[in-house]
Amino acid sequence: MGTLSVDPFSRSFKGLIVWCIWLSLIQSSLATSHKTGHHFYKWEVEYMYWSPDGVENIVMGIDGKFPGPTIRARAGDTVHVQLTNKLSTEGVVIHWHGIRQKGTPWADGTAAISQCVINPGDTFDYRFTVDRAGTYFYHGHYGMQRSAGLYGALIVDLAEGEKEPFHYDGEFDLLLSDWWHKSVHHQEVGLSSQPMRWIDEPQTLLINGRGQYGCSLAAHYSKSPLSQCNITGHEQWAPYILHVDPNKTYRIRIASSTSLASLNLAIGNHKMMVVEADGNYLQPFETNDLDIYSGESYSVLLKTSQDSSQNYWISLGVRGRKPKTPQALTILNYKTNSASKLPISPPPVTPRWDDYAHSKAFSNKIKALDHKSIPKPPPTYHRRIALLNTQNMMNGYTKWSINNVSLSLPATPYLGSIRFGLKNAFDQTKPPEDFPGDYDVMKRPVNSNTNTGNGVYMLGYHSTVDVILQNANTLAENNSEIHPWHLHGHDFWVLGYGEKKFTKADEEKFNLKDPPYRNTAVIFPYGWTALRFVADNPGAWAFHCHIEPHLHMGMGVIFAEGVEHIAKIPKEALSCGLTGKRFMTGSHLG
């Protein structure tokens, strides 16, 4: 027998097999990594010149962009944002609105609550898991930096292999905001002046950071003296146009980061099917227009079934306040036409600003889809807290108050002071859980004076909490305002809305069958809204009106639960106040 020889080709072949196995292992590893991906962003926040509505101004942007970059991830992914403050004279934080921060309460991005502000020149690392698919956004949560333009979209897609309970062929993201020509600092100083100097209504409404001031896209339909906008499409303020194919279904994700305005959106000749709110599925319902309050988000389905030889208006108008701000407009462009072809019909007109029956009818249609991702509310509660929203005076200054306490944040973040038992860091007096039974919500407050405070509602860990948000008359006669309230770290069930003052008998109206599961809910003028949530997320959490001037003037409270279970708090989160002085020894606290 001859000897067995191995030729070079055979050795190469074996090497090729080994290489292929190695490559397949890498691909498998990458696929696994994609299923639970990691998204890293290195951002710089700075002021810059921009023209959101055709008038050059100073905006707060990220990496030279306004609005900030869109974050897109899958449910279960980790998002890591390394944020550097390039503002030369002020601190900054970013709140990831709607992300519950389970296990990472220090990443919630709330100054003096979950973390210290990021000082000029400093960098802070936000690391957190986006645990649920949905439509979200992010924004500044220090001072009034949202009003300065610090916001962007955050979209979480389903985990790989999961399916939506509805079909669509394409998608658009619309981030809605309001814009003033006076600076945010002008507004802040005015709110804190004696007497208060109100900046008045916004000059412009923006769609994806774009609006038009001093001219109109639909001037030829208008009786106003505004001229037709002369736009090439390359301007920073050129409208964001939705380009669609005929006979398709599109998902439009809509989020409101407004500082003040409540909004209504409509699309000419088209109905919308509402399917998601604040990251949770809804029983689908059809509507001609959609009310959206600051802090809310929705997904709607749009069928492009109209005459494809035409384009159609998308209009955005103010609700709940006498509108001094013109409607914002853009175009739904059927690709069979030029995008510059104007619609043949006038734009949809926003419902009258004070048509609250319209708004309530819309809100009452919002019900949870019977879906595995949405839990059912507990049938009873362990604790009920009633929060009376009033406008008051304090030593000549105008304030907003909750149960006659106007929130004034402390120097040491609550997360650190509660975790380490620093009793002198904030007011240890328990804040009031109710208001006088004889208080007349239909009249101006008899006692218009308020107090400041920064006490905390300490909640039993895993307890069920009901909150009754009660609206009332302001300091002006016959006036009550809309307040959209946002809860950090949790979603809640909206059990119901009602007129005038809440009574025990109103519990019979609660919807325990299919209440919507949300993070933001509106209180209508002179009315109440009932919420229920489970205090199952260790941390210190803000609960506040999402209208930025209202929070700035004290309209918020602090909830805390299970803080003793928190460990390994990054030292950068608590490097100020009493925690900064006493606990800066290791890389983490606790």
Side-chain angles (χ1 to χ4, degrees), residues 215-378:
C215 68
S216 172
L217 299 177
H220 56 300
Y221 295 114
S222 174
K223 296 178 182 178
S224 76
L226 292 177
S227 61
Q228 186 72 28
C229 293
N230 183 19
I231 297 174
T232 66
H234 300 292
E235 300 87 352
Q236 291 174 337
W237 52 282
Y240 174 84
I241 295 174
L242 281 64
H243 304 283
V244 297
D245 290 309
N247 302 312
K248 299 289 185 182
T249 299
Y250 289 89
R251 179 182 192 168
I252 305 178
R253 298 179 183 266
I254 309 163
S256 175
S257 66
T258 57
S259 175
L260 176 68
S262 302
L263 301 172
N264 179 272
L265 184 140
I267 303 174
N269 288 46
H270 292 72
K271 292 181 181 293
M272 295 174 282
M273 184 74 72
V274 187
V275 293
E276 178 222 341
D278 297 352
N280 295 292
Y281 296 126
L282 302 177
Q283 296 176 27
F285 67 93
E286 201 171 59
T287 185
N288 292 316
D289 58 81
L290 176 141
D291 276 347
I292 181 167
Y293 304 97
S294 178
E296 291 187 327
S297 65
Y298 290 97
S299 283
V300 300
L301 300 181
L302 178 79
K303 291 185 178 180
T304 53
S305 56
Q306 299 303 304
D307 181 358
S308 60
S309 68
Q310 303 297 330
N311 292 329
Y312 301 88
W313 292 114
I314 299 175
S315 70
L316 186 69
V318 172
R319 303 282 279 120
R321 304 181 69 86
K322 289 184 179 179
K324 299 179 183 178
T325 310
Q327 286 191 185
L329 296 174
T330 189
I331 287 176
L332 182 73
N333 164 233
Y334 278 70
K335 292 179 186 176
T336 44
N337 308 303
S338 165
S340 61
K341 181 179 180 180
L342 294 177
I344 57 175
S345 301
V349 176
T350 306
R352 182 178 163 86
W353 70 274
D354 58 354
D355 183 357
Y356 295 117
H358 184 97
S359 303
K360 292 171 186 177
F362 177 82
S363 294
N364 286 320
K365 291 178 183 177
I366 301 172
K367 296 180 179 179
L369 183 66
D370 185 12
H371 191 269
K372 60 183 180 181
S373 68
I374 302 175
K376 295 292 185 183

Side-chain angles (χ1 to χ4, degrees), residues 161-182:
E162 297 287 325
K163 290 186 177 180
E164 305 274 13
F166 43 81
H167 164 79
Y168 54 96
D169 304 299
E171 183 177 317
F172 297 97
D173 306 330
L174 300 184
L175 185 60
L176 313 178
S177 55
D178 41 14
W179 184 247
W180 284 260
H181 290 166
K182 290 182 178 178

Side-chain angles (χ1 to χ4, degrees), residues 442-460:
M442 305 302 292
K443 295 181 180 179
R444 293 178 57 193
V446 176
N447 171 21
S448 62
N449 294 313
T450 188
N451 304 298
T452 58
N454 53 34
V456 177
Y457 291 92
M458 299 291 190
L459 308 177

Side-chain angles (χ1 to χ4, degrees), residues 22-34:
W22 178 76
L23 182 62
S24 67
L25 288 172
I26 288 179
Q27 289 174 332
S28 175
S29 173
L30 287 173
T32 303
S33 173
H34 179 68

Side-chain angles (χ1 to χ4, degrees), residues 20 203 243 258 390 394 408 555:
C20 288
Q203 273 66 62
H243 304 283
T258 57
T390 57
M394 190 184 75
S408 177
M555 199 172 197

Side-chain angles (χ1 to χ4, degrees), residues 1-5:
M1 292 179 64
T3 59
L4 181 65
S5 65

